[in-house]
Amino acid sequence: MMKPPFALHTDQRPPVALRRHLVLALAGGAALASLPVHAQTAQGKGDILIGRSTALSGGMAPFLSPIHEGQDAAIEDANAKGGIGGRKIRLVTLDDGFDPRRALDNAKQLSEKDGVLALFGVAGTSQVMTLRPYLAQAKLPLISVYTGSPAIRAQQHPYLFTTRASYADELVKIVRNLVAVQTSRIAVAYENNDFGKLLLPLVEKTIAAEGAALAGSRALASSGDDANDAAKALTAQKPQAVLLVAAGPSVVAYVRANRAHLGAPIYTLSLGAGTAVLKALGDDARGLAVARTGPSPTKPTIALTRDFQASMKRHDKPVDYDRYTGYMDARVLIEGLRAAGPGVTRASLAQAMESLGNLDLGGFGYQFSAQNHHGSNYVDIAVVGSGGVYRQ
């Protein structure tokens, strides 16, 4: 059984006063310069500390847990092979409960008290947007995020590196697929939060650009409590398909409501149909079409997938898209650390990520450069079959 390669802080939220937030924000580089030695950039010895602020509690925790397991497996595998020049990689994990303010507090603690070299695997559009100014202030790299929001990609950030296609890429793939099968009247159910509201204009623009028609749109509570009302409202618009822009509990609720009241095919983004969603839906997930931003985890046609399957077997974990996502993203982090070498610093890691160029992890490629911090735009469509198993 896998032993997670991370130190989990039991205090879910550090007691940081608002006044201290303001002082740090104003002090900027001076505050960082005055930090004790143990809280500054890695000096080439001991473990390489990587910070992970994520939801270990709250409604999104079950949906992110499989991704964490994939991350942990890849890092444990790398450590078993000697780590980075003999230095082990250690994830220092704090719970943010999927709350942007807690994510920022955690980033400050991880950077200024724990002395992490970088952040890794932050989930949520609001979380990443909240962190962006602090990353620049602290010169702290953030590698791999679980949001495809175009908002975080609108202007390149010197310390932010993504490993997944954007939601814009996913939406184009979905709408083109629908138009190709003569489905041109599309309704949109979107989560009533920053994630959904920021994406709605892009969804509308994509539908128009691809020659389809917007049948109507309806906001959906993150809890999914109003899913039946949303499905009934969209039924009146007579759509041929529904594009669901949501994640977590609202996906489960809406898919069931759609089955009961509308019956139109549902297409959703990669974040919308993870392992926990499919498990919760059971047979109700059959027919759900999902944009996927990586290769199939069950088809060992490339070396990377075979590596992943072998890793899951060693760690006694299921093979699925979520764990593959975490595994692949951690592999990119590891390659960045290797390129920077055992004496890695924050600055040299950011430079190393840019220098990765055309990175091939074994049949699946990424492209990074000084001009491009967004390593992949790969999207495919997979449909859920019986037993919650994807078919391409």
Side-chain angles (χ1 to χ4, degrees):
M1 187 68 67
M2 178 175 61
K3 295 181 179 179
F6 59 83
L8 177 60
H9 286 210
T10 55
D11 55 326
Q12 293 186 356
R13 190 174 180 198
V16 182
L18 179 59
R19 183 171 60 186
R20 183 165 176 252
H21 288 188
L22 297 174
V23 170
L24 286 173
L26 292 171
L32 290 169
S34 65
L35 293 177
V37 173
H38 78 274
Q40 296 184 33
T41 309
Q43 301 299 313
K45 58 184 178 180
D47 291 348
I48 296 174
L49 304 183
I50 304 295
R52 180 170 62 180
S53 177
T54 189
L56 300 177
S57 63
M60 284 299 295
F63 302 93
L64 293 172
S65 179
I67 293 176
H68 300 158
E69 291 178 355
Q71 295 168 349
D72 297 340
I75 290 174
E76 185 172 308
D77 292 347
N79 286 339
K81 295 177 181 178
I84 307 300
R87 299 180 66 192
K88 291 185 180 296
I89 306 164
R90 182 159 62 92
L91 291 179
V92 184
T93 300
L94 290 176
D95 179 21
D96 60 33
F98 208 65
D99 178 273
R101 183 171 174 269
R102 290 176 64 182
L104 178 58
D105 286 349
N106 286 351
K108 291 178 177 180
Q109 175 162 327
L110 290 165
S111 174
E112 298 164 21
K113 292 185 178 180
D114 297 304
V116 301
L117 189 73
L119 298 181
F120 170 65
V122 172
T125 301
S126 298
Q127 284 80 344
V128 177
M129 292 300 290
T130 300
L131 286 176
R132 280 174 61 98
Y134 182 72
L135 300 177
Q137 174 190 317
K139 298 182 179 180
L140 179 66
L142 168 54
I143 298 171
S144 181
V145 297
Y146 298 110
T147 169
S149 173
I152 71 167
R153 295 163 168 79
Q155 184 175 3
Q156 180 158 293
H157 190 289
Y159 295 99
L160 175 62
F161 298 86
T162 74
T163 52
R164 299 272 141 188
S166 73
Y167 294 145
D169 298 322
E170 294 186 33
L171 289 169
V172 168
K173 184 74 172 183
I174 288 173
V175 177
R176 285 182 180 173
N177 184 279
L178 285 168
V179 171
V181 295
Q182 307 300 309
T183 301
S184 59
R185 189 170 170 78
I186 305 169
V188 180
Y190 64 97
E191 195 165 351
N192 194 17
N193 57 12
D194 286 348
F195 163 57
K197 288 185 284 190
L198 286 171
L199 277 185
L200 182 61
L202 180 60
V203 175
E204 295 171 343
K205 181 179 178 180
T206 304
I207 288 173
E210 297 299 326
L214 178 65
S217 60
R218 176 72 184 217
L220 183 67
S222 296
S223 63
D225 290 345
D226 58 356
N228 282 304
D229 291 338
K232 290 175 183 177
L234 292 179
T235 299
Q237 306 301 319
K238 296 181 169 52
Q240 295 173 297
V242 175
L243 205 167
L244 178 58
V245 182
S250 57
V251 176
V252 177
Y254 183 80
V255 169
R256 287 184 172 146
N258 189 86
R259 276 184 170 270
H261 301 290
L262 180 54
I266 300 175
Y267 282 65
T268 193
L269 301 173
S270 56
L271 192 65
T275 303
V277 166
L278 298 185
K279 183 177 180 180
L281 282 171
D283 199 51
D284 286 338
R286 185 183 301 187
L288 182 63
V290 185
R292 304 296 348 177
T293 56
S296 169
T298 60
K299 298 179 179 179
T301 54
I302 61 174
L304 179 60
T305 306
R306 293 192 291 272
D307 289 346
F308 166 69
Q309 291 179 345
S311 179
M312 293 302 99
K313 185 176 181 179
R314 282 194 299 273
H315 299 306
D316 193 25
K317 299 295 180 183
V319 167
D320 55 32
Y321 272 106
D322 281 0
R323 290 175 177 86
Y324 202 7
T325 293
Y327 177 86
M328 292 170 65
D329 292 346
R331 288 282 300 266
V332 173
L333 168 68
I334 291 162
E335 289 305 314
L337 292 171
R338 283 177 177 156
V344 58
T345 65
R346 291 180 180 182
S348 69
L349 177 58
Q351 293 170 356
M353 288 298 300
E354 292 182 341
S355 72
L356 288 176
N358 295 322
L359 173 65
D360 185 347
L361 289 184
F364 189 82
Y366 302 82
Q367 291 184 327
F368 291 99
S369 70
Q371 294 74 39
N372 178 38
H373 285 196
H374 305 298
S376 175
N377 60 4
Y378 174 91
V379 184
D380 196 7
I381 301 291
V383 179
V384 181
S386 60
V389 177
Y390 280 101
R391 61 179 191 272
Q392 300 300 115

